Amino acid sequence: MFAELSKILNPTSLIPEESLIILLSIPVMATLVTVSRHIFGWKGLGVLLPLIMTFSLVSLGIIYGVLISVIASLIAILVRAIIKKVRVHYFSRISIILASICLFLIIIFAIVEAFGLGQVFNLPVLPIVLIIVAEEEFIGEFLKHGSKNAFMLYVETLCISTIGYFLIKWSFYRLFLLNWPFALIFLVIVLNIFVGRWKGLRFIEFYRFRKVIKAEKDKISTESK
Amino acid sequence: MFEFLEASKNVLGINERNLVYLRRYNKKRGRKIADDKLLTKKILKKAGILTPEVYGIIRNDKELMNFDWNKLPNSFVIKPKCGTGGAGIIVIFGKSKKTGNWVKADGSQLSVNQLQLHITNILDGTFSLKNKSDFAIIEERVRMHPVFKRYSFRGIPDVRILVFNKVPIMAELRLPTRISGGTANLHAGGVGVGIDMCTGVTTNAILYDNIIDRHPDTNLPLSGIKIPFWTQMLRLAVKAQSYIPLGYMGIDIVVDREKGPMVLEVNARPGLAIQIANLEGLKGRLKRVAGIKVKNIERGIRLAKDLFGGEVEEEIEEISGRQVISTVEYVRFYKIDGTKGPLCKVKIDTGAYLSSIGKDLAFELGYKDAYDYFYSLGFKTVFDDLEEARRVMNEYRKKVARHPDLLGIALAKSSVGVGRELRPLILLNFELSGVKVKSMCTIADRTGLMYRAIIGRSDLKDFLIDPLKKTRKIF
């Protein structure tokens, strides 16, 4: 009885290390997104996208992951510009763009492989699929709110995912996670409660409202005079 | 740093807006009404509040196919029911007699087929929150009020009034621009202009959160526009809040040329950029209204006007009949031939009796001939001794006045070092804070000085000076 209980309390002995790290990193990544949104003011694209990107980066390796994502985005921007004038339904537009991304990626992979520039066909395929599917969100943002918004969101998502990647690869984090998995979850919940009740200005709002703050400051100083 | 943080406490951020004002004061029922334009219209209509008329609603493909395009008037607007940020709105201005196509604001034409495709996209939810399927609404196009005609680009400006606890808190005029493509939405590139709550006169303007002076397309100055029907608009806003259960809401009001002000839509999550347009934090204002019991609409309007508007400045101007100016002001100079000259930042200098302008500015205004004549007479102009200066001045006074552009000689304290100086005296027209001034003014060598001209006491009879006032470019 006690033996089973102690086993459950120490899941490292039951679940493979890598799975445990990935699983427990989900709430950590979600928290990272929460903090970057509410404290710093980065909008990101929800929790899902940075999560998908992070795990894709982890399993593809940072260089291949970022490269594939950037190439896919560039192709998306290019194809969108080309078919901009064609009047088709929204979903058709997305499908055309996705098709072009797949086509170009396969061609690029083939070229890389043929010239012996890298070992791309050995890469796991699922993370690549995830990256391409994630493109849909960016394209949607592109079509709806314009290129500037979409670009910012893309860069922010990529940044958060890269931070997530380095966090997951950080040995201290891995050790902490494997030794005290429950403490980590507790920490995450406490942090989220704190951030969730945070009412102050976000970092970028200090910049956005700098003129308002200055005007308010002038008002305070003239009132006190 | 401490002051900065203290001041930032008066500014409302997204976190606090969502957590405190939206969560606490805007319940689900109210949000549901605000997000549904048709329901909003229905409720407002019942309350006797004017809104643009609905010509038709298309809920699905079948209704789209059966829709009778011929029964529509020549101008109308197509919009998604749950759209945000002005996306998916098409404004039709008329029907082309040649092709029978509908004409858009920019002159391009759309056939019925193209309109149908657009509506299919609306039905598919392309423009709605979270891509949920949506209805298309076809409604009356609001005709522009002449006041706004010069300030907007292919679209109708609207006035967004924020109301909290039945008191209008803050307001902004939203102007469509070329970039925004005719919608008045600030995220899309529309211009937001802050409004003084008491008088309904505009103050500062913003484009993408940056302060601007002029409309980016028409280049007209944006401060000082008097909003027509201002008090009526405040009344509409407070009235709308008493019928829609939202504690903190934005009410968008348009002015139709014939029908007057009407409510275009209401917003349950009004944006925060309004603070930049008004250069004041929302939180400071919200805190002041939070506990007050507002018994009726008129009381709410009175409170808004007393608490948040009417800078004292204007009252002083009204009582004294004189303009309040700052110590540094923008002045429009007029050339010798009466045409418009440059706009310069000048110093209001009550230490000087006469105004004086720099040599280069005088040349620019066409006084070069007079200046050259003055100095070609060859008399001494810089003196240590006052008596001697007076003697020379009397001797040459008549000779100088022979030139048509010169009034005579002015005796002034030297601007370069000690002693006295004789300067050419000219007649100059300028405009300061909207008042035209005929000035007797001297030409001085102002090279190396900060301002190109100073305005002295003799030209300041119609003004009061307030050193705390901020310098604003109003031309």
Side-chain angles (χ1 to χ4, degrees):
Chain A
M1 180 69 195
F2 278 112
E4 275 88 9
L5 200 66
S6 70
K7 259 186 190 172
I8 290 169
L9 284 177
N10 186 15
T12 328
S13 57
L14 297 171
I15 308 171
E17 255 182 37
E18 208 55 35
S19 307
L20 198 67
I21 285 170
I22 294 289
L23 219 54
L24 281 176
S25 290
I26 291 175
V28 172
M29 278 310 294
T31 311
L32 201 62
V33 171
T34 317
V35 169
S36 74
R37 173 183 280 243
H38 289 283
I39 308 284
F40 289 95
W42 277 8
K43 285 200 195 80
L45 275 175
V47 178
L48 178 76
L49 222 54
L51 210 70
I52 288 180
M53 283 287 249
T54 306
F55 296 134
S56 304
L57 292 188
V58 168
S59 74
L60 286 175
I62 184 107
I63 294 167
Y64 279 124
V66 170
L67 265 180
I68 291 172
S69 167
V70 168
I71 289 171
S73 303
L74 287 178
I75 294 164
I77 292 168
L78 200 75
V79 174
R80 176 190 164 264
I82 292 170
I83 62 166
K84 201 178 175 184
K85 287 270 168 335
V86 188
R87 270 176 195 276
V88 286
H89 292 295
Y90 174 73
F91 284 114
S92 320
R93 203 174 285 270
I94 295 235
S95 303
I96 293 172
I97 295 172
L98 285 181
S100 331
I101 292 175
C102 294
L103 178 73
F104 277 95
L105 275 185
I106 289 171
I107 293 174
I108 290 170
F109 281 4
I111 292 172
V112 169
E113 210 46 51
F115 287 93
L117 299 170
Q119 299 258 307
V120 278
F121 278 125
N122 290 344
L123 293 175
V125 77
L126 199 64
I128 299 179
V129 173
L130 284 179
I131 285 182
I132 294 173
V133 170
E135 272 318 302
E136 193 225 323
E137 290 282 332
F138 297 122
I139 301 163
E141 187 64 27
F142 233 113
L143 298 178
K144 269 185 234 160
H145 298 120
S147 51
K148 203 183 151 196
N149 273 322
F151 180 73
M152 282 314 290
L153 288 178
Y154 178 70
V155 171
E156 284 166 11
T157 309
L158 208 59
C159 281
I160 294 174
S161 310
T162 312
I163 293 170
Y165 169 84
F166 283 112
L167 187 70
I168 290 174
K169 293 281 174 189
W170 189 25
S171 53
F172 174 77
Y173 168 78
R174 294 171 85 94
L175 267 176
F176 185 88
L177 190 150
L178 292 173
N179 285 319
W180 297 287
F182 295 112
L184 185 82
I185 289 181
F186 180 72
L187 211 69
V188 159
I189 291 173
V190 169
L191 193 63
N192 270 303
I193 289 174
F194 172 75
V195 175
R197 301 178 68 87
W198 174 250
K199 282 192 280 190
L201 291 182
R202 298 173 180 180
F203 272 27
I204 56 166
E205 280 177 337
F206 278 108
Y207 175 76
R208 184 187 177 200
F209 294 127
R210 65 197 181 280
K211 286 193 179 115
V212 184
I213 296 173
K214 195 172 165 280
E216 288 284 346
K217 206 167 97 182
D218 291 349
K219 217 171 63 188
I220 291 172
S221 59
T222 49
E223 268 166 15
S224 62
K225 259 170 205 166
Chain B
M1 188 63 203
F2 181 70
E3 262 186 341
F4 181 80
L5 284 177
E6 193 61 34
S8 75
K9 281 186 183 160
N10 280 335
V11 178
L12 186 68
I14 298 178
N15 285 337
E16 187 165 14
R17 180 196 69 171
N18 292 352
L19 217 54
V20 178
Y21 290 95
L22 300 192
R23 195 81 46 92
R24 191 180 301 166
Y25 296 103
N26 291 356
K27 297 294 177 210
K28 202 174 171 190
R29 200 164 75 85
R31 286 207 307 268
K32 223 171 134 186
I33 296 170
D35 290 344
D36 182 338
K37 288 185 182 121
L38 284 175
L39 195 54
T40 310
K41 271 176 195 290
K42 209 168 126 191
I43 289 171
L44 291 179
K45 209 171 169 185
K46 234 184 213 168
I49 297 171
L50 219 55
T51 61
E53 202 182 318
V54 177
Y55 296 137
I57 304 157
I58 297 173
R59 296 182 184 80
N60 48 44
D61 288 333
K62 202 174 154 200
E63 285 187 1
L64 177 61
M65 284 302 124
N66 296 333
F67 192 77
D68 181 9
W69 291 93
N70 292 320
K71 78 171 189 203
L72 286 176
N74 275 345
S75 76
F76 54 87
V77 181
I78 300 176
K79 49 167 92 169
K81 188 183 85 169
C82 302
T84 49
I89 295 178
I90 286 189
V91 183
I92 301 295
F93 270 66
K95 208 171 182 179
S96 161
K97 284 199 178 94
K98 262 189 241 161
T99 55
N101 286 345
W102 301 98
V103 183
K104 275 207 308 189
D106 57 1
S108 65
Q109 297 193 0
L110 290 173
S111 64
V112 169
N113 269 335
Q114 282 167 324
L115 284 184
Q116 280 173 339
L117 182 69
H118 182 76
I119 291 175
T120 323
N121 276 334
I122 292 178
L123 296 177
D124 284 346
T126 313
F127 307 106
S128 72
L129 286 164
K130 291 174 190 161
N131 289 343
K132 273 204 306 210
S133 60
D134 200 1
F135 299 167
I137 303 178
I138 300 175
E139 67 172 23
E140 175 187 358
R141 179 175 74 84
V142 177
R143 285 145 302 171
M144 180 113 59
H145 190 277
V147 168
F148 298 129
K149 204 154 221 169
R150 299 185 305 152
Y151 295 103
S152 69
F153 187 85
R154 283 177 190 156
I156 302 290
D158 63 19
V159 173
R160 152 82 50 98
I161 300 178
L162 275 189
V163 187
F164 174 65
N165 189 24
K166 300 214 170 65
V167 181
I169 298 290
M170 209 177 253
E172 76 183 327
L173 170 67
R174 308 189 304 166
L175 303 168
T177 60
R178 188 190 296 269
I179 323 164
S180 81
T183 84
N185 197 284
L186 297 198
H187 293 297
V191 169
V193 196
I195 301 174
D196 179 86
M197 292 303 282
C198 182
T199 54
V201 174
T202 57
T203 53
N204 312 288
I206 52 164
L207 175 65
Y208 287 124
D209 293 353
N210 296 314
I211 299 215
I212 54 170
D213 289 326
R214 286 160 181 276
H215 192 283
D217 302 319
T218 63
N219 206 27
L220 282 165
L222 291 167
S223 63
I225 308 169
K226 181 125 182 60
I227 309 284
F229 308 106
W230 176 240
T231 307
Q232 238 173 296
M233 281 188 182
L234 291 177
R235 194 169 294 133
L236 271 182
V238 181
K239 200 172 172 190
Q241 197 190 31
S242 55
Y243 284 92
I244 294 172
L246 287 169
Y248 173 80
M249 68 195 287
I251 291 128
D252 296 347
I253 299 172
V254 286
V255 185
D256 185 82
R257 206 161 52 203
E258 279 146 34
K259 292 183 174 175
M262 39 189 182
V263 175
L264 191 65
E265 58 183 61
V266 300
N267 199 315
R269 306 167 198 83
L272 298 168
I274 193 170
Q275 300 179 100
I276 312 173
N278 281 286
L279 281 183
E280 195 172 332
L282 267 173
K283 213 162 109 193
R285 291 190 176 191
L286 288 167
K287 273 192 273 182
R288 288 163 79 182
V289 203
I292 304 177
K293 280 239 157 36
V294 182
K295 282 177 219 133
N296 57 42
I297 293 174
E298 294 308 316
R299 173 104 178 102
I301 297 171
R302 192 67 258 156
L303 275 172
K305 286 190 170 184
D306 288 349
L307 285 174
F308 309 128
E311 291 172 5
V312 196
E313 197 178 287
E314 184 151 16
E315 284 170 26
I316 292 174
E317 280 171 9
E318 265 171 27
I319 295 165
S320 65
R322 293 194 248 183
Q323 288 289 314
V324 177
I325 55 173
S326 174
T327 49
V328 173
E329 282 286 341
Y330 281 92
V331 164
R332 165 74 68 198
F333 287 102
Y334 287 89
K335 287 188 182 156
I336 202 162
D337 55 7
T339 56
K340 255 188 191 177
L343 183 68
C344 299
K345 216 174 181 180
V346 305
K347 192 174 166 200
I348 306 299
D349 186 356
T350 52
Y353 179 68
L354 290 174
S355 303
S356 75
I357 62 171
K359 201 170 79 181
D360 51 335
L361 179 59
F363 287 5
E364 208 179 323
L365 295 171
Y367 290 96
K368 185 173 185 346
D369 195 41
Y371 183 88
D372 289 345
Y373 173 78
F374 182 87
Y375 284 98
S376 71
L377 291 174
F379 55 84
K380 196 177 160 194
T381 55
V382 183
F383 303 89
D384 293 330
D385 179 35
L386 182 62
E387 286 308 310
E388 197 196 346
R390 283 212 175 116
R391 204 176 43 74
V392 174
M393 186 168 89
N394 286 332
E395 197 185 325
Y396 281 91
R397 180 175 280 158
K398 281 190 178 153
K399 229 177 192 174
V400 167
R402 264 180 221 150
H403 193 278
D405 299 337
L406 286 172
L407 290 175
I409 306 175
L411 178 63
K413 273 186 188 147
S414 174
S415 58
V416 283
V418 286
R420 305 282 165 158
E421 192 184 10
L422 294 182
R423 293 180 192 163
L425 188 67
I426 55 167
L427 192 67
L428 175 74
N429 290 312
F430 64 81
E431 198 180 322
L432 168 57
S433 187
V435 180
K436 285 217 166 112
V437 180
K438 237 188 181 106
S439 160
M440 292 226 296
C441 125
T442 68
I443 301 175
D445 188 5
R446 297 189 62 79
T447 41
L449 295 171
M450 212 174 148
Y451 301 101
R452 296 180 80 187
I454 57 170
I455 305 294
R457 288 196 303 278
S458 65
D459 294 328
L460 293 171
K461 295 182 192 84
D462 294 331
F463 303 96
L464 293 173
I465 298 161
D466 174 7
L468 286 179
K469 188 182 169 178
K470 277 196 191 128
T471 306
R472 259 194 214 141
K473 223 173 183 172
I474 57 160
F475 291 92

